[in-house]
Amino acid sequence: MQVLEQLENKVVDAFDQLGIKFTPSSQRLRDLIRQIRSARTAAEERAVINKECAQIRDSFRAEDNTWRCRNVAKLLYIYMLGYPAHFGRLECLKLIASNRYTDKRIGYLGAMLLLDEKQDVHLLVTQSLKNDLLNSNQYIAGLALCTLGSILSIEMSRDLAVDVEKLIKNSNPYLKKKAILCAIRIIRKVPELMEIYVPSVRNLLNEKNHGVLLGAIGLITEMCIRSPDILTHFRKLVPNLVRILKNLIMSGYSPDHDVSGISDPFLQVRIIRLLRVLGKNDQESSESMNDILAQVCTNTETTKNAGNSILHETVLTIMDIKSEPALRVLAVNILGRFLLNQDKNIRYVALNTLLRVIHADLSSIQRHRGTIVECLKDPDVSIKRRAMELCFALINRKNIVEMIDELCSFLQTCEPEFKADCSSNMFIAMEKYAPNKKWHVDQMIKILKSAGNNSRDDIVSSFISLISNTPELHLYTMHQLVDMIRDDVTQQPLVQVAAWCIGEYGEQFQSSDYEGQKVDEEEIANLLIKILNYNAGLISTRQYAINALVKLTNRYPVLTEHVQSIMSVYGCNMNLDLQQRAVEYHTVLKKYDNLKDGLYEQMQPFELKQNYIDDVEEDIYEGKNEEEILHEKEKQKEEATKALLIIFGEDSTETTPSKNEVAPKLDPLEDIFGNPPTTNPSNSNILDSIFSSNEQVAPQTSNNILDIFDSSNNQSSSKPSQSGLDDILGMNSTTVVNKSDKASNNDIMDIFGNLQTKPIQNGHGESLNGQKPSMNVYEKNEVKITFEPCANGNGSTPTQHFIQLKAENLSFSNVVRNFIFSAAAPTSMKLQLSQPDKTNLQPFENMSQTIAIANPNKDKLRLRIKLSYKLNDVPIEEPVFVVNIPFFE
């Protein structure tokens, strides 16, 4: 070997003396791979790679065309091992420009690995791609299509979109399916180019080649998702898709497309997914596909994964379109059969799908509650978590007792990582559906004991709030808690609740017995001292104990000296908070005895948190489908509208209510706007009352709503007969409205977001030809916010703007809570926000809020926006950002 190296060095020296650059032959890729794999250490591997990279650089520098293809191939292998290979990018472009197929293949592979749209070098390959797309060799054109789909940028998409469209019309199936896939990538990068492909895609549904048909359906699906207009256009093709799907189901054995006895399950899944997109929110399309979906559900084999994948996609489609109730029950039953499958993956998919569709048909899913509860005992952690989430979604007022018992059993045996989520969700469920307070308290104590130290702090505070609001159970609750912690103070959340209760209501032990048991003050004090001296306890628990101990001196004066001695000891504690509390309490007990009654008096009951879901609403909507729920909500809006008209005197057919009748008629308005209107509308600002403004309004002789916008128009102030409500609804401020006119009913519906039969208008009262413009303001964490100009009629002017905010929860299972939207306008404008219709969004729910802006100088409208909400109890606060509003320019 040494002789060969010496001979090689002599040959190189001889060529150097003659002025000729000698390039030794490059080793093959397989030899490099063998050499790298034989390296025993990482350092040896790096040495081999560095040596080879140096030789490759020398070859590139010498413009050696003989071994360029081999060197780029070796460089790509080195790049795949994680080493830098950026110096080979231009060599890839040189290989692409070659006329040889083998060179182009390596060149395009290098371009796909080493180039992306962030580097300007990739723009140099555009012309080569354009030439190769028109090449007569199908394999070279296929290479160009694959590379274009991988590295395309916006500029490259615009330059080559037409060439790709020509290849879609090509008669060669090989090129056609690659061109379709490339078109999908182009549409994702530049959505406005999709119109180029609409005419050619329509004819692709008649193709016999399944590869082409599969790509065409994927392209149609992508376009329909991104464009409502194209979605309406392709809804005409639903019968064609139904026919194709029926032929696949009824066709016999085909060796080219058969998978586990099923004819092309990949194509069937794609077609069913496209049917779901086309049938969503469209009654006619949904009706035309009901029969074929039922046929798929009944004829598909369930013993193989191929059939299960088709059934899963069919269930999602049935639940997403306007399908018949019987078909929905059939879909839920299929998921119920999946839950009984031995395959863990299928059980997980079934639970995940039930979580996605639970809001579509809750009553049908309730029938499988027993099977879902059994999944809590599954050893697989992922199945157990999905089953737990689904169990909480199934809880209602009717099954709360049974479900909590099952979940308590699960809480005792589950892994520690489940205990926090499970206990918190159980408390939320009981807060909404508990049959009585005593049962609620018993279950909470049981949950805190089972969850142990895994319970969250919010459960402790919520349980304390519950106890403070049930004075009839104070003695019962304290005896239960004292019995729990008498011999065991390791359960810190339970100890914290017990310490707080003893400090607040400890005197009840002295005043009465409970089932023949009496606890004296000495036992109570010793129990708190035990908690205080428990070294493994949390600092927060010891804070509860020291507070309770000092409060007992006001209930039991005989304990004062004993407590003073304890406070003097803890005045030297290493923990600064405990030390400060002890010193201050000792000072009060020793020097300011007259302040004890005020400082250590019993706390007032805490304000209970608002339920996340209204109990009445849950009872109304239980067992009803989506259409019935929507009908109920529309009916409630109409009733609230009538109540609003009566309150403001807009309905001449109703008699004026007496003073005794005013209170109940205010409730619907209070529910809608969150704040009842003032009783004297002639001397108050209507917009402030509706939008729940906290600003004080000076008395006025006119109820013209334009005053809040600092309008200089005084015409409306001279017409006291006109209602301020008319202005906020967008009526002409110079026209007197008849109270019995039915048009007022139509205009007032705008507040509630009801459908209108008249053309929609923008903030200036200009017609938008039936299409309402909107803009996306925020889309992150599965939360989407859009702005739309309100339809406020002829009363709007260029100096007054009304914007409708719509927030949507796009998640399948996550809940958005405590959603708060804040906005600020430039100093030359005035802005007011209405009360949102809700602050908690279940999956696929939305909320709305109205923004009123006065713009007297007609400046360009910009808003500073701040958002905060909780996603699955995780607080999210977005930084302030600026949004330009183009509607009113």
Side-chain angles (χ1 to χ4, degrees):
M1 193 69 172
Q2 293 178 353
V3 175
L4 292 176
E5 290 180 356
Q6 292 175 0
L7 181 61
E8 182 179 353
N9 292 332
K10 290 181 179 179
V11 172
V12 171
D13 293 338
F15 273 91
D16 289 341
Q17 292 176 1
L18 296 175
I20 301 174
K21 179 66 177 178
F22 175 78
T23 304
S25 61
S26 174
Q27 67 172 332
R28 295 177 300 177
L29 175 61
R30 68 181 66 178
D31 296 333
L32 174 63
I33 294 174
R34 188 180 297 111
Q35 193 174 357
I36 291 174
R37 288 181 176 178
S38 63
R40 296 180 180 180
T41 62
E44 188 176 347
E45 177 185 300
R46 286 195 299 271
V48 173
I49 290 176
N50 290 336
K51 180 180 178 182
E52 187 64 30
C53 287
Q55 293 180 359
I56 292 174
R57 283 194 183 94
D58 292 340
S59 177
F60 289 163
R61 201 177 293 115
E63 294 293 333
D64 181 18
N65 296 326
T66 306
W67 310 112
R68 177 179 287 130
C69 182
R70 178 183 292 182
N71 287 333
V72 171
K74 290 188 292 184
L75 192 62
L76 294 181
Y77 176 73
I78 293 172
Y79 173 77
M80 292 170 64
L81 293 177
Y83 294 91
H86 56 278
F87 55 88
R89 292 169 184 164
L90 291 178
E91 301 302 319
C92 293
L93 300 183
K94 294 177 182 178
L95 288 177
I96 291 173
S98 173
N99 294 325
R100 298 172 56 190
Y101 174 75
T102 54
D103 290 349
K104 284 183 177 291
R105 183 177 59 180
I106 298 299
Y108 277 127
L109 178 60
M112 285 188 280
L113 290 175
L114 302 179
L115 302 181
D116 56 49
E117 60 177 314
K118 296 179 182 178
Q119 300 155 0
D120 295 335
V121 181
H122 87 284
L123 295 176
L124 300 176
V125 79
T126 303
Q127 188 59 42
S128 297
L129 285 172
K130 190 176 184 67
N131 295 335
D132 289 340
L133 287 175
L134 304 177
N135 198 298
S136 58
N137 188 329
Q138 65 173 359
Y139 299 109
I140 293 179
L143 284 176
L145 286 170
C146 291
T147 306
L148 177 60
S150 177
I151 67 171
L152 62 87
S153 61
I154 295 177
E155 296 82 3
M156 195 179 292
S157 300
R158 297 183 189 279
D159 293 338
L160 302 177
V162 177
D163 298 303
V164 173
E165 192 267 342
K166 292 178 181 178
L167 289 177
I168 292 178
K169 298 178 181 179
N170 196 294
S171 58
N172 188 339
Y174 175 82
L175 289 178
K176 189 178 292 188
K177 63 183 179 182
K178 287 183 176 292
I180 293 171
L181 295 176
C182 187
I184 294 176
R185 299 298 299 272
I186 291 175
I187 289 173
R188 290 175 180 171
K189 183 66 68 174
V190 189
E192 56 265 26
L193 294 177
M194 68 177 68
E195 296 180 358
I196 299 175
Y197 304 105
V198 172
S200 55
V201 168
R202 189 182 182 94
N203 299 325
L204 293 177
L205 294 180
N206 298 323
E207 286 284 338
K208 300 299 182 183
N209 186 287
H210 282 211
V212 175
L213 194 56
L214 189 67
I217 291 174
L219 180 58
I220 295 173
T221 304
E222 191 71 28
M223 290 192 292
C224 291
I225 291 174
R226 295 181 178 273
S227 173
D229 295 333
I230 293 180
L231 174 62
T232 305
H233 173 75
F234 280 116
R235 275 182 176 145
K236 303 173 185 177
L237 300 180
V238 170
N240 295 352
L241 294 171
V242 170
R243 175 179 50 80
I244 296 172
L245 184 57
K246 188 173 183 179
N247 291 338
L248 286 173
I249 297 172
M250 305 304 295
S251 63
Y253 174 75
S254 175
D256 293 335
H257 309 121
D258 184 85
V259 178
S260 300
I262 297 175
S263 179
D264 204 342
F266 303 99
L267 182 57
Q268 289 191 45
V269 167
R270 284 293 184 90
I271 293 174
I272 295 170
R273 186 176 302 168
L274 177 56
L275 289 176
R276 179 165 83 245
V277 174
L278 297 175
K280 188 173 184 179
N281 299 325
D282 187 77
Q283 186 66 40
E284 183 179 355
S285 299
S286 299
E287 290 178 356
S288 61
M289 63 182 72
N290 277 335
D291 292 340
I292 190 62
L293 292 176
Q295 194 171 353
V296 171
C297 291
T298 54
N299 293 344
T300 304
E301 180 65 37
T302 60
T303 57
K304 303 292 184 180
N305 276 341
N308 290 329
S309 63
I310 294 174
L311 288 175
H312 173 253
E313 198 66 39
T314 306
V315 168
L316 292 178
T317 301
I318 291 172
M319 290 300 186
D320 218 18
I321 67 174
K322 296 182 177 296
S323 57
E324 298 175 354
L327 200 56
R328 289 175 179 261
V329 173
L330 178 60
V332 173
N333 290 340
I334 290 174
L335 295 177
R337 291 203 305 269
F338 282 1
L339 291 176
L340 301 175
N341 200 297
Q342 297 298 321
D343 191 338
K344 293 182 178 181
N345 295 324
I346 295 177
R347 291 205 303 276
Y348 178 83
V349 167
L351 291 169
N352 214 23
T353 308
L354 285 170
L355 271 172
R356 293 175 60 179
V357 304
I358 191 169
H359 298 284
D361 197 348
L362 179 60
S363 58
S364 298
I365 299 176
Q366 287 282 5
R367 300 191 188 104
H368 301 275
R369 189 173 68 241
T371 309
I372 295 169
V373 170
E374 286 297 318
C375 291
L376 291 173
K377 303 173 184 177
D378 196 286
D380 189 274
V381 176
S382 58
I383 292 178
K384 198 180 298 185
R385 179 170 293 279
R386 282 291 176 264
M388 182 186 72
E389 294 172 356
L390 188 55
C391 284
F392 287 118
L394 292 175
I395 293 178
N396 57 27
R397 195 177 297 278
K398 298 177 182 178
N399 60 24
I400 178 70
V401 176
E402 179 184 349
M403 292 297 293
I404 291 298
D405 288 341
E406 294 287 351
L407 289 167
C408 281
S409 302
F410 167 73
L411 187 62
Q412 294 173 358
T413 58
C414 68
E415 291 80 357
E417 60 264 23
F418 287 101
K419 291 182 182 291
D421 290 336
C422 186
S423 56
S424 295
N425 288 326
M426 287 172 72
F427 182 80
I428 292 172
M430 289 189 294
E431 194 176 43
K432 292 186 286 186
Y433 305 121
N436 56 71
K437 293 293 181 64
K438 186 175 183 299
W439 178 87
H440 192 175
V441 170
D442 289 339
Q443 296 302 318
M444 279 307 304
I445 295 174
K446 186 177 179 181
I447 290 171
L448 284 176
K449 185 170 181 61
S450 300
N453 295 327
N454 295 294
S455 300
R456 293 174 179 160
D457 294 338
D458 61 329
I459 295 186
V460 174
S461 59
S462 300
F463 190 21
I464 289 175
S465 299
L466 172 65
I467 295 172
S468 68
N469 284 273
T470 54
E472 67 277 6
L473 296 176
H474 284 170
L475 185 61
Y476 170 79
T477 304
M478 285 192 296
H479 273 282
Q480 295 292 324
L481 290 171
V482 169
D483 290 341
M484 287 285 184
I485 68 170
R486 183 176 279 117
D487 300 323
D488 182 15
V489 294
T490 59
Q491 307 289 342
Q492 295 295 291
L494 195 64
V495 171
Q496 291 173 8
V497 177
W500 185 90
C501 290
I502 293 172
E504 294 299 321
Y505 314 117
E507 73 279 0
Q508 296 193 20
F509 285 124
Q510 184 181 23
S511 61
S512 59
D513 298 343
Y514 176 76
E515 295 183 354
Q517 300 178 7
K518 189 173 183 178
V519 182
D520 57 17
E521 62 272 14
E522 185 177 353
E523 183 180 356
I524 298 173
N526 290 335
L527 184 59
L528 291 175
I529 294 171
K530 181 181 179 181
I531 297 171
L532 197 57
N533 294 332
Y534 180 58
N535 293 328
L538 299 174
I539 296 298
S540 58
T541 305
R542 303 169 81 181
Q543 291 169 353
Y544 275 100
I546 201 170
N547 288 346
L549 196 60
V550 77
K551 278 198 168 190
L552 282 181
T553 60
N554 206 29
R555 279 70 163 166
Y556 301 100
V558 296
L559 297 175
T560 303
E561 293 183 3
H562 189 32
V563 172
Q564 282 182 352
S565 62
I566 295 172
M567 294 301 146
S568 62
V569 172
Y570 273 86
C572 302
N573 193 275
M574 295 297 293
N575 182 268
L576 185 60
D577 185 87
L578 290 178
Q579 181 187 126
Q580 181 178 353
R581 289 172 188 262
V583 171
E584 292 174 354
Y585 290 155
H586 184 269
T587 304
V588 171
L589 292 173
K590 190 173 182 179
K591 298 182 179 181
Y592 303 99
D593 189 66
N594 58 324
L595 299 178
K596 283 172 51 179
D597 293 340
L599 290 176
Y600 304 147
E601 66 178 356
Q602 189 178 111
M603 297 179 65
Q604 296 296 322
F606 295 104
E607 182 179 355
L608 289 176
K609 295 180 180 179
Q610 184 181 5
N611 293 340
Y612 292 121
I613 301 177
D614 190 4
D615 296 341
V616 178
E617 181 179 344
E618 182 70 23
D619 292 339
I620 292 175
Y621 299 150
E622 180 69 26
K624 296 185 178 181
N625 57 31
E626 287 179 308
E627 294 182 0
E628 292 173 338
I629 292 174
L630 289 174
H631 178 71
E632 290 287 345
K633 289 184 177 181
E634 294 295 331
K635 187 177 179 181
Q636 289 178 5
K637 289 179 181 179
E638 292 178 4
E639 292 175 356
T641 305
K642 292 178 182 178
L644 182 64
L645 290 171
I646 292 171
I647 292 170
F648 285 99
E650 292 295 319
D651 192 352
S652 60
T653 61
E654 296 288 340
T655 58
T656 304
S658 63
K659 293 182 179 180
N660 296 330
E661 296 175 343
V662 170
K665 289 184 177 295
L666 284 174
D667 289 341
L669 185 63
E670 192 170 307
D671 292 339
I672 296 168
F673 296 114
N675 193 21
T678 57
T679 57
N680 187 8
S682 63
N683 291 327
S684 64
N685 195 322
I686 300 299
L687 188 61
D688 283 346
S689 64
I690 291 179
F691 284 179
S692 302
S693 176
N694 295 325
E695 299 179 2
Q696 297 294 328
V697 182
Q700 302 175 8
T701 58
S702 170
N703 58 359
N704 181 13
I705 192 62
L706 296 179
D707 292 346
I708 199 162
F709 295 104
D710 291 339
S711 176
S712 60
N713 186 5
N714 296 323
Q715 295 178 2
S716 58
S717 62
S718 63
K719 297 182 181 291
S721 62
Q722 201 168 347
S723 170
L725 182 63
D726 297 339
D727 294 334
I728 192 61
L729 297 176
M731 298 181 182
N732 195 334
S733 61
T734 60
T735 305
V736 178
V737 181
N738 189 353
K739 292 183 179 181
S740 62
D741 192 352
K742 295 182 179 179
S744 63
N745 288 338
N746 294 332
D747 290 335
I748 198 167
M749 299 299 279
D750 295 348
I751 289 180
F752 305 97
N754 286 28
L755 296 175
Q756 300 176 348
T757 56
K758 61 182 183 179
I760 297 176
Q761 298 171 332
N762 64 11
H764 301 311
E766 299 170 352
S767 176
L768 297 175
N769 297 324
Q771 292 184 353
K772 199 169 188 176
S774 64
M775 62 177 292
N776 286 345
V777 177
Y778 176 85
E779 188 167 1
K780 188 178 178 182
N781 300 325
E782 298 178 321
V783 176
K784 181 180 180 182
I785 299 177
T786 56
F787 280 177
E788 296 178 353
C790 287
N792 285 287
N794 298 325
S796 297
T797 68
T799 62
Q800 304 156 16
H801 311 313
F802 296 88
I803 300 173
Q804 189 77 18
L805 176 148
K806 182 180 179 183
E808 299 178 83
N809 181 5
L810 305 179
S811 170
F812 288 110
S813 58
N814 299 330
V815 180
V816 177
R817 297 191 174 101
N818 300 338
F819 180 86
I820 299 176
F821 172 86
S822 305
T827 55
S828 62
M829 307 177 191
K830 289 188 177 181
L831 179 145
Q832 278 191 326
L833 294 174
S834 71
Q835 288 287 341
D837 54 3
K838 62 181 73 172
T839 57
N840 302 313
L841 303 177
Q842 297 295 324
F844 297 109
E845 276 192 346
N846 58 67
M847 58 80 70
S848 60
Q849 192 172 4
T850 303
I851 307 173
I853 304 169
N855 186 10
N857 298 331
K858 302 180 183 179
D859 294 335
K860 186 175 180 181
L861 185 57
R862 294 179 302 156
L863 296 181
R864 290 172 60 86
I865 293 175
K866 184 178 180 182
L867 301 173
S868 64
Y869 53 90
K870 287 186 178 180
L871 187 65
N872 282 344
D873 295 328
V874 177
I876 296 175
E877 186 167 343
E878 295 293 344
V880 177
F881 58 96
V882 179
V883 176
N884 295 318
I885 311 297
F887 302 136
F888 311 105
E889 296 179 358

